[in-house]
Amino acid sequence: MAISKRLQSSFKSLDTEETLDIYFNRPIGYVWMLFFKRLGVHPNVVTILSIILGVCAGIMFYFPDMKHTLIGIVLLMWANHYDSCDGQLARVTGKKTRWGRMLDGFAGDIWFFTIYAAISLRLMNQPLPFGLGASGQTWSWMIWVIAIFSGTVCHSKQCTLADYYRNIHLYFLKGKAGSELDNFKQQRTIFRSLPWKGNFWWKIFLYFYGNYTRQQEKMTPAFQRLYAWMQRTYGDEIPHELCDEFRKRSLPLMKYANILTFNTRAIVLYISLLMGEPYWYFFFEIIIMTTLFLYMRHRHEELCIYLYQKYAKP
């Protein structure tokens, strides 16, 4: 299936786009983008609409009947299309703002916070599976422990690292201008340079975003060593040979980064909800996605060690 040049121009890069996004989510998001562009709607409005749709989807998942489940699935897919649309609209129109970056960063978190809470409330008084609830035992508070562990220790770290690896890849592919490869020191400098007056909410965002970048850096020590050496040696004018080799060896890892973001997670969520057993989603998150996360991290760190030894050591 051919991809139009206009549609491709709204992508960050084909290297970092998932197949399902290229042929399904992005084209639908692009149609919405054309619609909102014609109406003169700002990308931030589209992001707010995506948040509302995602929260409504989560509320639907509280109810165990099929009607509410199907409505919730449609709403979450719709929210994801708007999430694609807002970025495409911002890139095409050039309407990029502080608030847009802030809202876009929090949108998915708000969706899944609502979804996790709704599923936990739904399961609290339901009997335990596998015959464990035969004597009347319910999930009770245990489902909240599982949900919080799944969301904070697993889901959050997986998305944080996947997002970082995609921005690293874009940095070597398009340079600094084509990537959002930020760092903790840089974000704290910006945070301290701004007065609180007139910048309150932006400074709050910068503070938490700085913590987000610090978490990314702590998970990638081998890359930090390679990146620090490149900055000292070349600045942002990295030799083409090094960029090409990094991109070539990083490209196979992008499929793992994409799996750890939205689509795979959403598909498993939909299946578990349609089965009427949403706890399977948490188990998938904790076991399967965490295993993939550890494997991706190991492979990427190995790549950075190899390139450091090849280019920096001599």
Side-chain angles (χ1 to χ4, degrees), residues 105-123:
F106 286 127
D109 294 336
I110 297 171
W111 301 351
F112 277 95
F113 177 84
T114 308
I115 291 167
Y116 278 49
I119 291 175
S120 298
L121 287 168
R122 168 178 168 174
L123 291 176

Side-chain angles (χ1 to χ4, degrees), residues 14-37:
L14 284 175
D15 279 9
T16 55
E17 291 286 350
E18 193 173 357
T19 303
L20 186 60
D21 284 335
I22 292 173
Y23 295 110
F24 181 67
N25 291 320
R26 298 291 185 250
I28 294 174
Y30 186 76
V31 172
W32 278 112
M33 183 275 291
L34 294 175
F35 172 74
F36 286 124
K37 182 184 177 186

Side-chain angles (χ1 to χ4, degrees), residues 142-161:
M142 288 188 294
I143 194 61
W144 286 97
V145 174
I146 294 170
I148 291 169
F149 181 81
S150 173
T152 57
V153 177
C154 303
H155 182 157
S156 176
K157 284 190 175 181
Q158 293 159 12
C159 291
T160 297
L161 193 62

Side-chain angles (χ1 to χ4, degrees), residues 82 103 191 200 232 270 284:
Y82 276 10
L103 286 169
F191 173 82
F200 180 82
R232 289 194 306 269
Y270 300 155
F284 175 82

Side-chain angles (χ1 to χ4, degrees), residues 101 160 163-168 171 175-188 190 202 205-206 209-218 220 223-224 227 236:
R101 187 175 180 186
T160 297
D163 177 62
Y164 195 48
Y165 283 162
R166 291 201 292 193
N167 276 313
I168 290 170
Y171 177 76
K176 188 175 181 179
S179 170
E180 295 176 357
L181 187 61
D182 297 323
N183 61 75
F184 175 70
K185 184 178 179 181
Q186 167 201 61
Q187 295 306 308
R188 277 297 183 265
I190 298 171
W202 181 239
F205 170 76
L206 286 173
Y209 183 64
N211 291 344
Y212 176 80
T213 59
R214 178 164 55 182
Q215 185 181 16
Q216 290 174 323
E217 291 167 5
K218 285 182 176 180
T220 55
F223 172 73
Q224 299 311 317
Y227 184 59
D236 289 312

